[in-house]
Amino acid sequence: MKTVYIKTWGCQMNEYDSSMITNLLENKYNYKISHIPEKSDILILNTCSIREKAQEKVFHQLGRWKKIKNKNPNIIIAVGGCVATQEGQEIFKRANYVNIIFGPQTLHKLPKMIQGIKKSDDSIIDISFPKLEKFKNIFYNKQKGYTASVSIMEGCNKYCSFCVVPYTRGQEISRPCDDILFEISLLAENGIREINLLGQNVNAYQGPTFNKKICYFSELLRLVSEIDGIDRIRFTTSNPLEFTDDIIDVYTDTPKLVSFLHLPLQSGSDKILKLMKRSYTTQEYENIIHKLINARPNIQISSDFIVGFPGESQEDFQKTIDFIKKINFDMSFSFIYSHRPGTPASEMIDDTKYNEKKKRLLILQNTINRQTMIWSQKMLGSIQSILVEGVSTKNIMELSGRTENNRIVTFKGSPKMIGKFILLKITEAHTHTLKGQIIE
Ligand code: SAH
Ligand code: F3S
């Protein structure tokens, strides 16, 4: 039996793709998953190219694997994900010991590609974009634990001026609604209690139904909420563009949908949003948040920010800070703008010093961290529903689980509670973690 080691970097879409590769190789082709690269026959790297650093990491990792291959030339090395699509043949040139290059849309072809490698220096590449073909080959994507992600659409058409995703993951396309519901029902039968619907812009979902109609995102959310066993629904990522009223309405009538939303803003300056080609204004963003608060008064919002985008002045940056305070974001992922080859932003004049960008990032992160702490403190004494995930990694005498707003809570409980929702009273608050007590 051949053994395979998979290393995954990047977004949740990549994690999902890697779980598809694992299921395919393990269940259909009888490979065994290994956790030790030195003892594996096949090494797979599922890569990310969203920022420069993520991409450089790939070649460092391949350098380490080259040493393993020097000792055992029979090892097959495969590189997939967004760096694979972006760099293509270049990977073979820079790392000639790599055997296979596959893309996010061709991962189902991997077993056949592996079988095609007969000699240590054979090479095969397929980074094409066959539409949704991978889902036809891997219908049910089994996942461990009590929370599972399900990809509902692939690719992106938005072409934000800084972003590589439309070039690396292909055009936006929605999976058929019934396939998604079937996959989630099987996950529920296998003990999954919480579902995270995945895509680059899930709110733009338009999946065909069995009777040739179109199912929009709001309808999909309601249909998922009807599946027995699924008691909590999240989604990542949505875009302020096309975040329509019908989606906001779901918050009024679907309690299984969490009171927590990740809605990437990127910048609080309308001038920068325009240069980013985000196609919404800060006012439009604010309107969505007001409507959401109307529908769910306790909703908490997290976001993504880019600082130091070409042309961002001190004044533009200050607008972002002011907006962060105004919306009172609960959390964020924030990054220094990274020049991505082939994107329109990479042609723009970028004359802000890197040190200045680092300073801005720190100010932004400190501002958000203060807000995160205040939100956590507000939870002190409240009763929270927790999905118990297992024994705490910090203290084996405690269990841990997550609140609706994604905070980890540790508490003393019985192993029987693992995989169930329980109510806890919050007794201690830190920035990202909480402690709680079971209420009788
Ligand atoms: N579909 C999502 C974003 C996916 S990429 C959306 O609509 O916003 C995840 C995050 O990475 C983005 O929100 C952005 O903040 C960041 N990002 C993308 N490209 C980047 C770049 N070139 N430099 C820095 N950060 C970037
Ligand atoms: Fe990237 Fe914008 Fe799409 S950030 S993933 S091009 S919505």
Side-chain angles (χ1 to χ4, degrees), residues 156-160 162-166 200-201 239 266 278:
C156 183
N157 288 351
K158 303 289 181 282
Y159 291 93
C160 299
F162 52 83
C163 185
V164 287
V165 171
Q200 291 298 345
N201 299 289
N239 193 311
Q266 313 299 359
R278 288 291 288 182

Side-chain angles (χ1 to χ4, degrees), residues 352-399:
T352 312
K353 297 255 175 329
Y354 194 69
N355 260 348
E356 172 59 27
K357 295 188 181 191
K358 280 207 314 212
K359 241 194 275 170
R360 288 183 193 171
L361 183 69
L362 196 68
I363 294 171
L364 188 149
Q365 288 178 338
N366 286 339
T367 309
I368 298 253
N369 278 344
R370 272 194 297 275
Q371 291 181 188
T372 310
M373 186 63 199
I374 293 170
W375 276 109
S376 288
Q377 277 166 347
K378 270 195 208 158
M379 293 172 81
L380 263 179
S382 69
I383 309 293
Q384 298 286 331
S385 168
I386 311 291
L387 174 55
V388 186
E389 287 169 359
V391 175
S392 159
T393 47
K394 296 244 169 71
N395 177 356
I396 55 162
M397 302 305 285
E398 288 187 330
L399 297 175

Side-chain angles (χ1 to χ4, degrees), residues 133-192:
E133 215 179 71
K134 67 181 178 191
F135 294 104
K136 290 179 195 125
N137 286 273
I138 311 161
F139 201 64
Y140 168 46
N141 194 24
K142 196 170 149 197
Q143 291 168 67
K144 295 195 182 83
Y146 305 99
T147 299
S149 296
V150 173
S151 179
I152 64 166
M153 60 199 297
E154 284 286 316
C156 183
N157 288 351
K158 303 289 181 282
Y159 291 93
C160 299
S161 65
F162 52 83
C163 185
V164 287
V165 171
Y167 312 98
T168 59
R169 296 192 76 97
Q171 292 290 291
E172 211 163 272
I173 182 157
S174 300
R175 281 178 76 189
C177 162
D178 306 290
D179 290 4
I180 295 167
L181 297 175
F182 184 68
E183 183 172 336
I184 298 176
S185 306
L186 288 177
L187 288 165
E189 268 176 33
N190 281 284
I192 297 292

Side-chain angles (χ1 to χ4, degrees), residues 50-51 162-165 200-201 237-239 264 266 278 304-306 333 335-340:
I50 198 83
R51 283 168 290 276
F162 52 83
C163 185
V164 287
V165 171
Q200 291 298 345
N201 299 289
T237 309
S238 51
N239 193 311
Q266 313 299 359
R278 288 291 288 182
D304 286 352
F305 294 95
I306 295 177
F333 296 100
F335 318 93
I336 291 178
Y337 165 74
S338 174
H339 168 102
R340 301 288 60 214

Side-chain angles (χ1 to χ4, degrees), residues 46 66 87 99 105 135 198 241 259 306 364 382 398:
N46 193 1
K66 181 183 183 206
E87 299 291 316
N99 302 98
Q105 308 307 341
F135 294 104
L198 287 185
L241 185 69
S259 292
I306 295 177
L364 188 149
S382 69
E398 288 187 330

